[in-house]
PDB file of all heavy atoms in Angstrom:
ATOM      1  N   GLU A 408      52.079 177.326-241.566  1.00 88.00           N
ATOM      2  CA  GLU A 408      50.920 177.503-242.438  1.00 88.00           C
ATOM      3  C   GLU A 408      50.002 176.365-242.422  1.00 88.00           C
ATOM      4  O   GLU A 408      48.850 176.501-242.396  1.00 88.00           O
ATOM      5  CB  GLU A 408      51.502 177.849-243.857  1.00 88.00           C
ATOM      6  CG  GLU A 408      52.110 179.279-244.053  1.00 88.00           C
ATOM      7  CD  GLU A 408      51.029 180.339-244.173  1.00 88.00           C
ATOM      8  OE1 GLU A 408      49.881 180.053-244.632  1.00 88.00           O
ATOM      9  OE2 GLU A 408      51.509 181.457-243.871  1.00 88.00           O
ATOM     10  N   ALA A 409      50.633 175.138-242.606  1.00 87.00           N
ATOM     11  CA  ALA A 409      49.767 173.874-242.703  1.00 87.00           C
ATOM     12  C   ALA A 409      49.038 173.674-241.442  1.00 87.00           C
ATOM     13  O   ALA A 409      47.767 173.360-241.415  1.00 87.00           O
ATOM     14  CB  ALA A 409      50.757 172.683-243.053  1.00 87.00           C
ATOM     15  N   ILE A 410      49.625 173.854-240.225  1.00 84.00           N
ATOM     16  CA  ILE A 410      48.924 173.555-239.110  1.00 84.00           C
ATOM     17  C   ILE A 410      47.918 174.590-238.631  1.00 84.00           C
ATOM     18  O   ILE A 410      46.959 174.346-237.881  1.00 84.00           O
ATOM     19  CB  ILE A 410      49.843 173.188-237.867  1.00 84.00           C
ATOM     20  CG1 ILE A 410      50.718 174.461-237.484  1.00 84.00           C
ATOM     21  CG2 ILE A 410      50.773 171.985-238.116  1.00 84.00           C
ATOM     22  CD1 ILE A 410      51.540 174.323-236.299  1.00 84.00           C
ATOM     23  N   ALA A 411      48.080 175.854-239.231  1.00 84.00           N
ATOM     24  CA  ALA A 411      47.097 176.869-238.936  1.00 84.00           C
ATOM     25  C   ALA A 411      45.735 176.575-239.452  1.00 84.00           C
ATOM     26  O   ALA A 411      44.673 177.002-239.067  1.00 84.00           O
ATOM     27  CB  ALA A 411      47.643 178.262-239.548  1.00 84.00           C
ATOM     28  N   GLY A 412      45.760 175.676-240.435  1.00 79.00           N
ATOM     29  CA  GLY A 412      44.497 175.348-241.143  1.00 79.00           C
ATOM     30  C   GLY A 412      43.792 174.021-240.673  1.00 79.00           C
ATOM     31  O   GLY A 412      42.645 173.707-241.098  1.00 79.00           O
ATOM     32  N   VAL A 413      44.293 173.387-239.686  1.00 78.00           N
ATOM     33  CA  VAL A 413      43.743 172.174-239.111  1.00 78.00           C
ATOM     34  C   VAL A 413      43.338 172.471-237.638  1.00 78.00           C
ATOM     35  O   VAL A 413      43.414 173.487-237.049  1.00 78.00           O
ATOM     36  CB  VAL A 413      44.725 171.030-239.102  1.00 78.00           C
ATOM     37  CG1 VAL A 413      45.124 170.692-240.589  1.00 78.00           C
ATOM     38  CG2 VAL A 413      45.933 171.240-238.344  1.00 78.00           C
ATOM     39  N   GLY A 414      42.622 171.509-237.138  1.00 65.00           N
ATOM     40  CA  GLY A 414      42.084 171.585-235.783  1.00 65.00           C
ATOM     41  C   GLY A 414      43.236 171.635-234.720  1.00 65.00           C
ATOM     42  O   GLY A 414      44.351 171.808-234.986  1.00 65.00           O
ATOM     43  N   LEU A 415      42.875 171.299-233.486  1.00 64.00           N
ATOM     44  CA  LEU A 415      43.842 171.308-232.443  1.00 64.00           C
ATOM     45  C   LEU A 415      44.880 170.220-232.737  1.00 64.00           C
ATOM     46  O   LEU A 415      44.538 169.050-232.868  1.00 64.00           O
ATOM     47  CB  LEU A 415      43.131 171.010-230.996  1.00 64.00           C
ATOM     48  CG  LEU A 415      43.832 171.453-229.858  1.00 64.00           C
ATOM     49  CD1 LEU A 415      44.247 172.860-229.924  1.00 64.00           C
ATOM     50  CD2 LEU A 415      43.012 171.000-228.622  1.00 64.00           C
ATOM     51  N   THR A 416      46.061 170.624-232.919  1.00 68.00           N
ATOM     52  CA  THR A 416      47.109 169.640-233.311  1.00 68.00           C
ATOM     53  C   THR A 416      48.374 169.723-232.570  1.00 68.00           C
ATOM     54  O   THR A 416      48.549 170.711-231.820  1.00 68.00           O
ATOM     55  CB  THR A 416      47.454 169.998-234.908  1.00 68.00           C
ATOM     56  OG1 THR A 416      48.341 169.014-235.385  1.00 68.00           O
ATOM     57  CG2 THR A 416      48.130 171.318-235.083  1.00 68.00           C
ATOM     58  N   GLY A 417      49.284 168.823-232.697  1.00 69.00           N
ATOM     59  CA  GLY A 417      50.440 168.850-231.955  1.00 69.00           C
ATOM     60  C   GLY A 417      50.284 168.104-230.527  1.00 69.00           C
ATOM     61  O   GLY A 417      49.249 167.575-230.260  1.00 69.00           O
ATOM     62  N   THR A 418      51.339 168.182-229.760  1.00 66.00           N
ATOM     63  CA  THR A 418      51.346 167.520-228.463  1.00 66.00           C
ATOM     64  C   THR A 418      50.966 168.607-227.407  1.00 66.00           C
ATOM     65  O   THR A 418      51.583 169.576-227.360  1.00 66.00           O
ATOM     66  CB  THR A 418      52.771 166.923-228.193  1.00 66.00           C
ATOM     67  OG1 THR A 418      53.066 165.944-229.187  1.00 66.00           O
ATOM     68  CG2 THR A 418      52.813 166.135-226.920  1.00 66.00           C
ATOM     69  N   ALA A 419      50.008 168.273-226.438  1.00 65.00           N
ATOM     70  CA  ALA A 419      49.746 169.118-225.389  1.00 65.00           C
ATOM     71  C   ALA A 419      51.008 169.349-224.522  1.00 65.00           C
ATOM     72  O   ALA A 419      51.664 168.298-224.214  1.00 65.00           O
ATOM     73  CB  ALA A 419      48.564 168.574-224.653  1.00 65.00           C
ATOM     74  N   VAL A 420      51.180 170.563-224.177  1.00 68.00           N
ATOM     75  CA  VAL A 420      52.442 170.834-223.280  1.00 68.00           C
ATOM     76  C   VAL A 420      52.022 171.102-221.881  1.00 68.00           C
ATOM     77  O   VAL A 420      52.824 170.748-220.899  1.00 68.00           O
ATOM     78  CB  VAL A 420      53.152 172.041-223.952  1.00 68.00           C
ATOM     79  CG1 VAL A 420      54.261 172.550-222.938  1.00 68.00           C
ATOM     80  CG2 VAL A 420      53.643 171.837-225.327  1.00 68.00           C
ATOM     81  N   ASP A 421      50.808 171.599-221.619  1.00 62.00           N
ATOM     82  CA  ASP A 421      50.394 171.987-220.270  1.00 62.00           C
ATOM     83  C   ASP A 421      48.979 171.415-220.056  1.00 62.00           C
ATOM     84  O   ASP A 421      48.064 171.741-220.765  1.00 62.00           O
ATOM     85  CB  ASP A 421      50.397 173.428-220.236  1.00 62.00           C
ATOM     86  CG  ASP A 421      50.087 174.040-218.766  1.00 62.00           C
ATOM     87  OD1 ASP A 421      49.616 173.253-217.970  1.00 62.00           O
ATOM     88  OD2 ASP A 421      50.191 175.102-218.564  1.00 62.00           O
ATOM     89  N   GLU A 422      48.895 170.464-219.069  1.00 61.00           N
ATOM     90  CA  GLU A 422      47.560 169.961-218.880  1.00 61.00           C
ATOM     91  C   GLU A 422      46.532 170.859-218.472  1.00 61.00           C
ATOM     92  O   GLU A 422      45.279 170.657-218.762  1.00 61.00           O
ATOM     93  CB  GLU A 422      47.675 168.880-217.702  1.00 61.00           C
ATOM     94  CG  GLU A 422      48.475 167.616-218.102  1.00 61.00           C
ATOM     95  CD  GLU A 422      48.632 166.644-216.953  1.00 61.00           C
ATOM     96  OE1 GLU A 422      47.919 166.728-216.008  1.00 61.00           O
ATOM     97  OE2 GLU A 422      49.453 165.717-217.103  1.00 61.00           O
ATOM     98  N   ALA A 423      46.949 172.073-217.853  1.00 56.00           N
ATOM     99  CA  ALA A 423      45.942 173.019-217.464  1.00 56.00           C
ATOM    100  C   ALA A 423      45.543 173.905-218.576  1.00 56.00           C
ATOM    101  O   ALA A 423      44.507 174.664-218.517  1.00 56.00           O
ATOM    102  CB  ALA A 423      46.533 173.881-216.339  1.00 56.00           C
ATOM    103  N   ASP A 424      46.257 173.836-219.671  1.00 63.00           N
ATOM    104  CA  ASP A 424      45.924 174.728-220.864  1.00 63.00           C
ATOM    105  C   ASP A 424      46.113 173.922-222.190  1.00 63.00           C
ATOM    106  O   ASP A 424      47.173 173.813-222.696  1.00 63.00           O
ATOM    107  CB  ASP A 424      46.935 175.921-220.894  1.00 63.00           C
ATOM    108  CG  ASP A 424      46.578 176.912-222.074  1.00 63.00           C
ATOM    109  OD1 ASP A 424      45.600 176.677-222.891  1.00 63.00           O
ATOM    110  OD2 ASP A 424      47.228 177.962-222.165  1.00 63.00           O
ATOM    111  N   GLU A 425      45.025 173.323-222.556  1.00 68.00           N
ATOM    112  CA  GLU A 425      45.051 172.503-223.790  1.00 68.00           C
ATOM    113  C   GLU A 425      45.423 173.130-225.064  1.00 68.00           C
ATOM    114  O   GLU A 425      45.949 172.549-226.022  1.00 68.00           O
ATOM    115  CB  GLU A 425      43.681 171.785-223.936  1.00 68.00           C
ATOM    116  CG  GLU A 425      43.740 170.841-225.124  1.00 68.00           C
ATOM    117  CD  GLU A 425      42.919 169.579-225.072  1.00 68.00           C
ATOM    118  OE1 GLU A 425      42.720 169.084-223.961  1.00 68.00           O
ATOM    119  OE2 GLU A 425      42.414 169.252-226.078  1.00 68.00           O
ATOM    120  N   GLN A 426      45.257 174.493-225.096  1.00 72.00           N
ATOM    121  CA  GLN A 426      45.693 175.172-226.316  1.00 72.00           C
ATOM    122  C   GLN A 426      47.104 175.459-226.462  1.00 72.00           C
ATOM    123  O   GLN A 426      47.606 175.761-227.569  1.00 72.00           O
ATOM    124  CB  GLN A 426      44.954 176.670-226.218  1.00 72.00           C
ATOM    125  CG  GLN A 426      43.469 176.562-226.303  1.00 72.00           C
ATOM    126  CD  GLN A 426      42.789 177.912-226.239  1.00 72.00           C
ATOM    127  OE1 GLN A 426      43.309 178.786-225.568  1.00 72.00           O
ATOM    128  NE2 GLN A 426      41.658 178.074-226.951  1.00 72.00           N
ATOM    129  N   LEU A 427      47.945 175.142-225.455  1.00 81.00           N
ATOM    130  CA  LEU A 427      49.315 175.338-225.498  1.00 81.00           C
ATOM    131  C   LEU A 427      49.909 174.018-226.138  1.00 81.00           C
ATOM    132  O   LEU A 427      49.691 172.893-225.431  1.00 81.00           O
ATOM    133  CB  LEU A 427      49.950 175.577-224.168  1.00 81.00           C
ATOM    134  CG  LEU A 427      51.485 175.800-224.136  1.00 81.00           C
ATOM    135  CD1 LEU A 427      51.947 176.867-225.117  1.00 81.00           C
ATOM    136  CD2 LEU A 427      51.930 176.070-222.716  1.00 81.00           C
ATOM    137  N   ARG A 428      50.495 174.028-227.312  1.00 81.00           N
ATOM    138  CA  ARG A 428      50.867 172.819-228.055  1.00 81.00           C
ATOM    139  C   ARG A 428      52.272 172.890-228.463  1.00 81.00           C
ATOM    140  O   ARG A 428      52.914 173.900-228.539  1.00 81.00           O
ATOM    141  CB  ARG A 428      49.983 172.658-229.301  1.00 81.00           C
ATOM    142  CG  ARG A 428      48.556 172.744-229.077  1.00 81.00           C
ATOM    143  CD  ARG A 428      47.943 171.861-228.100  1.00 81.00           C
ATOM    144  NE  ARG A 428      47.673 170.564-228.821  1.00 81.00           N
ATOM    145  CZ  ARG A 428      46.983 169.507-228.273  1.00 81.00           C
ATOM    146  NH1 ARG A 428      46.625 169.658-227.079  1.00 81.00           N
ATOM    147  NH2 ARG A 428      46.883 168.464-228.944  1.00 81.00           N
ATOM    148  N   MET A 429      52.908 171.731-228.827  1.00 83.00           N
ATOM    149  CA  MET A 429      54.211 171.576-229.344  1.00 83.00           C
ATOM    150  C   MET A 429      54.265 170.818-230.632  1.00 83.00           C
ATOM    151  O   MET A 429      53.629 169.707-230.714  1.00 83.00           O
ATOM    152  CB  MET A 429      55.198 170.943-228.319  1.00 83.00           C
ATOM    153  CG  MET A 429      56.621 171.036-228.693  1.00 83.00           C
ATOM    154  SD  MET A 429      57.251 169.463-229.343  1.00 83.00           S
ATOM    155  CE  MET A 429      56.735 168.257-228.226  1.00 83.00           C
ATOM    156  N   ILE A 430      54.852 171.302-231.687  1.00 84.00           N
ATOM    157  CA  ILE A 430      54.979 170.620-232.929  1.00 84.00           C
ATOM    158  C   ILE A 430      56.393 170.417-233.328  1.00 84.00           C
ATOM    159  O   ILE A 430      57.198 171.361-233.097  1.00 84.00           O
ATOM    160  CB  ILE A 430      54.260 171.430-234.052  1.00 84.00           C
ATOM    161  CG1 ILE A 430      52.602 171.555-233.899  1.00 84.00           C
ATOM    162  CG2 ILE A 430      54.488 170.754-235.449  1.00 84.00           C
ATOM    163  CD1 ILE A 430      52.341 172.888-233.224  1.00 84.00           C
ATOM    164  N   VAL A 431      56.760 169.228-233.673  1.00 87.00           N
ATOM    165  CA  VAL A 431      58.104 168.910-234.101  1.00 87.00           C
ATOM    166  C   VAL A 431      58.334 169.291-235.535  1.00 87.00           C
ATOM    167  O   VAL A 431      57.557 168.879-236.413  1.00 87.00           O
ATOM    168  CB  VAL A 431      58.445 167.444-233.726  1.00 87.00           C
ATOM    169  CG1 VAL A 431      59.855 167.197-234.253  1.00 87.00           C
ATOM    170  CG2 VAL A 431      58.335 167.171-232.271  1.00 87.00           C
ATOM    171  N   VAL A 432      59.414 170.095-235.753  1.00 87.00           N
ATOM    172  CA  VAL A 432      59.758 170.400-237.214  1.00 87.00           C
ATOM    173  C   VAL A 432      61.210 170.060-237.264  1.00 87.00           C
ATOM    174  O   VAL A 432      62.095 170.786-236.667  1.00 87.00           O
ATOM    175  CB  VAL A 432      59.421 171.860-237.547  1.00 87.00           C
ATOM    176  CG1 VAL A 432      59.986 172.147-238.928  1.00 87.00           C
ATOM    177  CG2 VAL A 432      57.949 172.145-237.358  1.00 87.00           C
ATOM    178  N   ARG A 433      61.546 169.087-237.944  1.00 86.00           N
ATOM    179  CA  ARG A 433      62.940 168.514-238.073  1.00 86.00           C
ATOM    180  C   ARG A 433      63.379 168.273-236.664  1.00 86.00           C
ATOM    181  O   ARG A 433      62.828 167.581-235.881  1.00 86.00           O
ATOM    182  CB  ARG A 433      63.787 169.546-238.831  1.00 86.00           C
ATOM    183  CG  ARG A 433      63.430 169.675-240.241  1.00 86.00           C
ATOM    184  CD  ARG A 433      64.234 168.704-241.075  1.00 86.00           C
ATOM    185  NE  ARG A 433      63.823 168.746-242.470  1.00 86.00           N
ATOM    186  CZ  ARG A 433      64.601 169.096-243.468  1.00 86.00           C
ATOM    187  NH1 ARG A 433      65.836 169.503-243.272  1.00 86.00           N
ATOM    188  NH2 ARG A 433      64.122 169.201-244.720  1.00 86.00           N
ATOM    189  N   ASP A 434      64.541 168.881-236.248  1.00 88.00           N
ATOM    190  CA  ASP A 434      64.950 168.606-234.841  1.00 88.00           C
ATOM    191  C   ASP A 434      64.716 169.848-233.948  1.00 88.00           C
ATOM    192  O   ASP A 434      65.524 170.097-233.024  1.00 88.00           O
ATOM    193  CB  ASP A 434      66.461 168.293-234.935  1.00 88.00           C
ATOM    194  CG  ASP A 434      67.349 169.243-235.638  1.00 88.00           C
ATOM    195  OD1 ASP A 434      66.775 170.178-236.217  1.00 88.00           O
ATOM    196  OD2 ASP A 434      68.520 169.119-235.714  1.00 88.00           O
ATOM    197  N   HIS A 435      63.604 170.501-234.217  1.00 90.00           N
ATOM    198  CA  HIS A 435      63.195 171.572-233.427  1.00 90.00           C
ATOM    199  C   HIS A 435      61.813 171.449-232.880  1.00 90.00           C
ATOM    200  O   HIS A 435      60.941 170.790-233.489  1.00 90.00           O
ATOM    201  CB  HIS A 435      63.228 172.898-234.142  1.00 90.00           C
ATOM    202  CG  HIS A 435      64.644 173.360-234.496  1.00 90.00           C
ATOM    203  ND1 HIS A 435      65.357 172.864-235.513  1.00 90.00           N
ATOM    204  CD2 HIS A 435      65.424 174.270-234.021  1.00 90.00           C
ATOM    205  CE1 HIS A 435      66.517 173.342-235.626  1.00 90.00           C
ATOM    206  NE2 HIS A 435      66.576 174.279-234.633  1.00 90.00           N
ATOM    207  N   ARG A 436      61.457 172.006-231.649  1.00 90.00           N
ATOM    208  CA  ARG A 436      60.151 172.031-231.183  1.00 90.00           C
ATOM    209  C   ARG A 436      59.595 173.509-231.381  1.00 90.00           C
ATOM    210  O   ARG A 436      60.225 174.434-231.004  1.00 90.00           O
ATOM    211  CB  ARG A 436      60.147 171.642-229.637  1.00 90.00           C
ATOM    212  CG  ARG A 436      60.702 170.285-229.480  1.00 90.00           C
ATOM    213  CD  ARG A 436      60.840 170.107-227.936  1.00 90.00           C
ATOM    214  NE  ARG A 436      61.255 168.663-227.810  1.00 90.00           N
ATOM    215  CZ  ARG A 436      61.973 168.246-226.812  1.00 90.00           C
ATOM    216  NH1 ARG A 436      62.509 169.079-225.938  1.00 90.00           N
ATOM    217  NH2 ARG A 436      62.353 166.995-226.706  1.00 90.00           N
ATOM    218  N   VAL A 437      58.421 173.499-231.981  1.00 90.00           N
ATOM    219  CA  VAL A 437      57.771 174.754-232.059  1.00 90.00           C
ATOM    220  C   VAL A 437      56.651 174.841-231.141  1.00 90.00           C
ATOM    221  O   VAL A 437      55.708 173.996-231.137  1.00 90.00           O
ATOM    222  CB  VAL A 437      57.224 174.999-233.637  1.00 90.00           C
ATOM    223  CG1 VAL A 437      56.516 176.213-233.864  1.00 90.00           C
ATOM    224  CG2 VAL A 437      58.390 174.786-234.602  1.00 90.00           C
ATOM    225  N   TYR A 438      56.686 175.792-230.291  1.00 90.00           N
ATOM    226  CA  TYR A 438      55.645 175.923-229.244  1.00 90.00           C
ATOM    227  C   TYR A 438      54.507 176.981-229.801  1.00 90.00           C
ATOM    228  O   TYR A 438      55.022 178.109-230.047  1.00 90.00           O
ATOM    229  CB  TYR A 438      56.234 176.422-227.942  1.00 90.00           C
ATOM    230  CG  TYR A 438      57.154 175.340-227.213  1.00 90.00           C
ATOM    231  CD1 TYR A 438      58.504 175.365-227.554  1.00 90.00           C
ATOM    232  CD2 TYR A 438      56.656 174.370-226.600  1.00 90.00           C
ATOM    233  CE1 TYR A 438      59.368 174.404-227.078  1.00 90.00           C
ATOM    234  CE2 TYR A 438      57.453 173.310-226.049  1.00 90.00           C
ATOM    235  CZ  TYR A 438      58.903 173.395-226.286  1.00 90.00           C
ATOM    236  OH  TYR A 438      59.548 172.412-225.738  1.00 90.00           O
ATOM    237  N   VAL A 439      53.330 176.526-229.731  1.00 89.00           N
ATOM    238  CA  VAL A 439      52.292 177.334-230.202  1.00 89.00           C
ATOM    239  C   VAL A 439      51.043 177.407-229.266  1.00 89.00           C
ATOM    240  O   VAL A 439      50.891 176.479-228.377  1.00 89.00           O
ATOM    241  CB  VAL A 439      51.696 176.887-231.568  1.00 89.00           C
ATOM    242  CG1 VAL A 439      52.893 176.928-232.650  1.00 89.00           C
ATOM    243  CG2 VAL A 439      51.139 175.500-231.524  1.00 89.00           C
ATOM    244  N   ARG A 440      50.315 178.363-229.381  1.00 87.00           N
ATOM    245  CA  ARG A 440      48.988 178.466-228.651  1.00 87.00           C
ATOM    246  C   ARG A 440      47.869 178.517-229.844  1.00 87.00           C
ATOM    247  O   ARG A 440      47.977 179.278-230.776  1.00 87.00           O
ATOM    248  CB  ARG A 440      48.931 179.700-227.870  1.00 87.00           C
ATOM    249  CG  ARG A 440      47.614 179.766-227.090  1.00 87.00           C
ATOM    250  CD  ARG A 440      47.787 180.668-225.879  1.00 87.00           C
ATOM    251  NE  ARG A 440      46.456 180.497-225.111  1.00 87.00           N
ATOM    252  CZ  ARG A 440      45.297 181.179-225.451  1.00 87.00           C
ATOM    253  NH1 ARG A 440      45.344 181.907-226.603  1.00 87.00           N
ATOM    254  NH2 ARG A 440      44.274 180.993-224.815  1.00 87.00           N
ATOM    255  N   VAL A 441      47.002 177.551-229.711  1.00 84.00           N
ATOM    256  CA  VAL A 441      45.940 177.511-230.734  1.00 84.00           C
ATOM    257  C   VAL A 441      44.698 178.028-230.219  1.00 84.00           C
ATOM    258  O   VAL A 441      44.239 177.578-229.112  1.00 84.00           O
ATOM    259  CB  VAL A 441      45.777 175.953-231.219  1.00 84.00           C
ATOM    260  CG1 VAL A 441      44.747 175.865-232.256  1.00 84.00           C
ATOM    261  CG2 VAL A 441      47.116 175.397-231.509  1.00 84.00           C
ATOM    262  N   THR A 442      44.100 178.961-230.910  1.00 83.00           N
ATOM    263  CA  THR A 442      42.761 179.573-230.486  1.00 83.00           C
ATOM    264  C   THR A 442      41.818 179.365-231.727  1.00 83.00           C
ATOM    265  O   THR A 442      42.275 178.874-232.718  1.00 83.00           O
ATOM    266  CB  THR A 442      42.872 181.064-230.154  1.00 83.00           C
ATOM    267  OG1 THR A 442      43.084 181.806-231.340  1.00 83.00           O
ATOM    268  CG2 THR A 442      43.896 181.349-229.170  1.00 83.00           C
ATOM    269  N   ASP A 443      40.545 179.744-231.441  1.00 82.00           N
ATOM    270  CA  ASP A 443      39.671 179.584-232.657  1.00 82.00           C
ATOM    271  C   ASP A 443      40.139 180.411-233.844  1.00 82.00           C
ATOM    272  O   ASP A 443      39.876 180.022-234.997  1.00 82.00           O
ATOM    273  CB  ASP A 443      38.249 179.946-232.174  1.00 82.00           C
ATOM    274  CG  ASP A 443      37.677 178.922-231.226  1.00 82.00           C
ATOM    275  OD1 ASP A 443      38.066 177.815-231.286  1.00 82.00           O
ATOM    276  OD2 ASP A 443      36.733 179.353-230.510  1.00 82.00           O
ATOM    277  N   SER A 444      40.805 181.543-233.573  1.00 87.00           N
ATOM    278  CA  SER A 444      40.982 182.549-234.717  1.00 87.00           C
ATOM    279  C   SER A 444      42.462 182.549-234.994  1.00 87.00           C
ATOM    280  O   SER A 444      42.800 183.089-236.170  1.00 87.00           O
ATOM    281  CB  SER A 444      40.541 183.921-234.256  1.00 87.00           C
ATOM    282  OG  SER A 444      41.203 184.311-233.067  1.00 87.00           O
ATOM    283  N   HIS A 445      43.412 182.184-234.128  1.00 88.00           N
ATOM    284  CA  HIS A 445      44.887 182.313-234.446  1.00 88.00           C
ATOM    285  C   HIS A 445      45.678 181.062-233.984  1.00 88.00           C
ATOM    286  O   HIS A 445      45.273 180.434-233.051  1.00 88.00           O
ATOM    287  CB  HIS A 445      45.290 183.458-233.699  1.00 88.00           C
ATOM    288  CG  HIS A 445      44.980 184.878-234.379  1.00 88.00           C
ATOM    289  ND1 HIS A 445      43.857 185.457-234.000  1.00 88.00           N
ATOM    290  CD2 HIS A 445      45.609 185.563-235.374  1.00 88.00           C
ATOM    291  CE1 HIS A 445      43.674 186.571-234.752  1.00 88.00           C
ATOM    292  NE2 HIS A 445      44.812 186.603-235.561  1.00 88.00           N
ATOM    293  N   LEU A 446      46.756 181.009-234.624  1.00 89.00           N
ATOM    294  CA  LEU A 446      47.885 180.096-234.302  1.00 89.00           C
ATOM    295  C   LEU A 446      48.870 181.002-233.879  1.00 89.00           C
ATOM    296  O   LEU A 446      49.535 181.801-234.709  1.00 89.00           O
ATOM    297  CB  LEU A 446      48.341 179.222-235.292  1.00 89.00           C
ATOM    298  CG  LEU A 446      49.524 178.289-234.963  1.00 89.00           C
ATOM    299  CD1 LEU A 446      49.028 177.059-234.260  1.00 89.00           C
ATOM    300  CD2 LEU A 446      50.222 177.962-236.258  1.00 89.00           C
ATOM    301  N   ILE A 447      49.297 181.014-232.512  1.00 90.00           N
ATOM    302  CA  ILE A 447      50.232 182.085-232.067  1.00 90.00           C
ATOM    303  C   ILE A 447      51.561 181.247-231.811  1.00 90.00           C
ATOM    304  O   ILE A 447      51.604 180.308-231.001  1.00 90.00           O
ATOM    305  CB  ILE A 447      49.883 182.689-230.817  1.00 90.00           C
ATOM    306  CG1 ILE A 447      48.504 183.345-231.014  1.00 90.00           C
ATOM    307  CG2 ILE A 447      50.873 183.642-230.290  1.00 90.00           C
ATOM    308  CD1 ILE A 447      47.649 183.462-229.803  1.00 90.00           C
ATOM    309  N   VAL A 448      52.594 181.608-232.549  1.00 92.00           N
ATOM    310  CA  VAL A 448      53.898 180.803-232.352  1.00 92.00           C
ATOM    311  C   VAL A 448      54.713 181.547-231.223  1.00 92.00           C
ATOM    312  O   VAL A 448      54.904 182.715-231.311  1.00 92.00           O
ATOM    313  CB  VAL A 448      54.796 180.940-233.592  1.00 92.00           C
ATOM    314  CG1 VAL A 448      56.059 180.138-233.457  1.00 92.00           C
ATOM    315  CG2 VAL A 448      53.970 180.340-234.833  1.00 92.00           C
ATOM    316  N   LEU A 449      54.838 180.776-230.108  1.00 92.00           N
ATOM    317  CA  LEU A 449      55.510 181.363-228.999  1.00 92.00           C
ATOM    318  C   LEU A 449      57.012 181.247-228.965  1.00 92.00           C
ATOM    319  O   LEU A 449      57.658 182.118-228.352  1.00 92.00           O
ATOM    320  CB  LEU A 449      54.964 180.637-227.687  1.00 92.00           C
ATOM    321  CG  LEU A 449      53.418 180.716-227.522  1.00 92.00           C
ATOM    322  CD1 LEU A 449      52.957 179.817-226.432  1.00 92.00           C
ATOM    323  CD2 LEU A 449      53.055 182.157-227.343  1.00 92.00           C
TER     324      LEU A 449
END
């Protein structure tokens, strides 16, 4: 919820697709795709 409200956040996972990101939550990696309208948890 918190990251859905901010700009492009997290660590880039794919140099060819800057919208594909990874966020660390505790000892887990959450893979997301960030668009202008959505945060898609992959």
Side-chain angles (χ1 to χ4, degrees):
E408 287 278 335
I410 62 174
V413 298
L415 201 56
T416 187
T418 303
V420 174
D421 184 349
E422 291 178 11
D424 183 0
E425 180 149 325
Q426 292 179 328
L427 183 58
R428 315 296 280 185
M429 188 259 313
I430 294 103
V431 176
V432 178
R433 297 268 174 118
D434 51 358
H435 290 80
R436 296 176 177 146
V437 179
Y438 294 94
V439 300
R440 183 159 183 283
V441 181
T442 68
D443 290 338
S444 61
H445 285 88
L446 177 83
I447 304 156
V448 183
L449 301 171

